[in-house]
């Protein structure tokens, strides 16, 4: 059994871990163990036909604990990082283009999504909106009954926020993620400031950042509320090893 409590980050793919893992470990208190678990896809829609999104997230956490021999008591908190993927845009802004197949992926621009299967994308967006609503409006912010749970977003996706390109292929994702880590690994304060700069305009709290996504084509814009995770740590003065150098 681990001696340190585990701060578990749930992400969609391995390049997300590459970009963020080492940076977060630089910031988080040494008394916590930072771990990453990637779903290999979008859990908000992946199991929508067979179980609720909360059960899907819980099942993934259980799988992680079983794999490494952990128990619920070993988890300090679960932090879920999601891509928005333009899920709040009007259906009419989802445009047919035979070039963007399932294998290639959708193409995201500032005001539309292009895909060869418009109906499927419309349905997927609706499913994702429902999942986000369920996870952001829980009466108690816990998962599996007792584990503290927080959820933050990258819009249009993580690549958009970190690398200014929402349409990277899998090969480029790896290279860009590595370069991002290299850029900030010895500059944790700059990394925190970078995230602060990604907050959506004219928002003043976490709830407003979620509401921002629901307007017009904002869910295709470049923004993230992940800064609020670090802001909470800084304000509590317990976990950020260099918290005194940050401005929350």
């Amino acid at each position: 059994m681990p001696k340190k409590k585990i701060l578990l980050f749930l992400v969609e793919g391995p390049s997300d871990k590459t970009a963020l893992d080492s940076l977060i470990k630089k910031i988080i208190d040494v008394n916590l163990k930072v771990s990453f678990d990637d779903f290999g896809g979008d859990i908000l829609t992946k199991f929508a036909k067979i179980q609720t999104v909360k059960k899907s997230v819980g099942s993934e956490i259980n799988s992680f604990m079983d794999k490494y021999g952990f128990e619920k008591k070993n988890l300090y908190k679960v932090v879920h990082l999601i891509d928005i993927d333009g899920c709040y845009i009007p259906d009419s802004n989802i445009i047919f283009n035979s070039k963007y197949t399932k294998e290639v992926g959708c193409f995201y621009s500032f005001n539309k999504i292009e895909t060869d299967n418009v109906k499927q994308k419309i349905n997927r967006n609706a499913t994702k909106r429902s999942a986000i609503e369920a996870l952001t409006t829980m009466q108690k912010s816990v998962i599996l009954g007792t584990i503290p749970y927080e959820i933050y977003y990258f819009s249009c996706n993580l690549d958009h926020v970190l690398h200014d390109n929402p349409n990277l292929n899998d090969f480029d994702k790896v290279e860009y993620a590595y370069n991002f880590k290299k850029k900030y690994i010895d500059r944790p304060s700059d990394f925190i400031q970078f995230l602060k700069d990604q907050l959506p305009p004219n928002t003043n709290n976490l709830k407003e950042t979620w509401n921002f996504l629901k307007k017009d084509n904002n869910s295709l814009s470049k923004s993230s509320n992940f800064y609020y995770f670090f802001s909470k740590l800084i304000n509590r003065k317990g976990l950020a090893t260099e918290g005194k150098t940050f401005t929350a």
Side-chain angles (χ1 to χ4, degrees), residues 89-208:
I89 68 169
D91 291 347
S92 58
N93 289 37
I94 301 175
I95 308 300
F96 176 78
N97 187 328
S98 60
K99 178 180 178 180
Y100 299 108
T101 63
K102 181 179 180 180
E103 291 71 27
V104 173
C106 299
F107 184 84
Y108 299 100
S109 60
F110 74 97
N111 66 347
K112 65 180 183 292
I113 299 172
E114 296 179 54
T115 175
D116 74 334
N117 194 328
V118 171
K119 183 177 180 180
Q120 182 184 61
K121 185 60 178 175
I122 288 174
N123 292 337
R124 183 181 173 90
N125 277 1
T127 298
K128 190 155 191 168
R129 291 194 299 269
S130 297
I132 292 171
E133 184 70 14
L135 292 172
T136 57
T137 60
M138 292 189 294
Q139 189 172 7
K140 291 185 178 181
S141 297
V142 296
I143 206 79
L144 294 177
T146 58
I147 304 171
Y149 172 86
E150 296 177 7
I151 182 169
Y152 302 96
Y153 73 79
F154 292 90
S155 180
C156 162
N157 50 42
L158 182 139
D159 297 328
H160 195 181
V161 175
L162 300 192
H163 317 310
D164 203 27
N165 188 336
N167 298 297
L168 292 178
N169 60 45
D170 289 341
F171 178 82
D172 287 338
K173 283 175 183 284
V174 176
E175 181 180 359
Y176 276 67
Y178 175 79
N179 290 338
F180 184 86
K181 176 182 69 173
K182 185 177 179 181
K183 179 178 181 179
Y184 287 105
I185 191 63
D186 294 318
R187 300 161 50 198
S189 296
D190 290 343
F191 172 59
I192 297 290
Q193 183 60 50
F194 170 85
L195 290 176
K196 189 174 185 178
D197 292 340
Q198 310 312 310
L199 289 171
N202 303 314
T203 59
N204 298 297
N205 55 56
L206 189 59
K207 183 177 180 180
E208 289 182 2

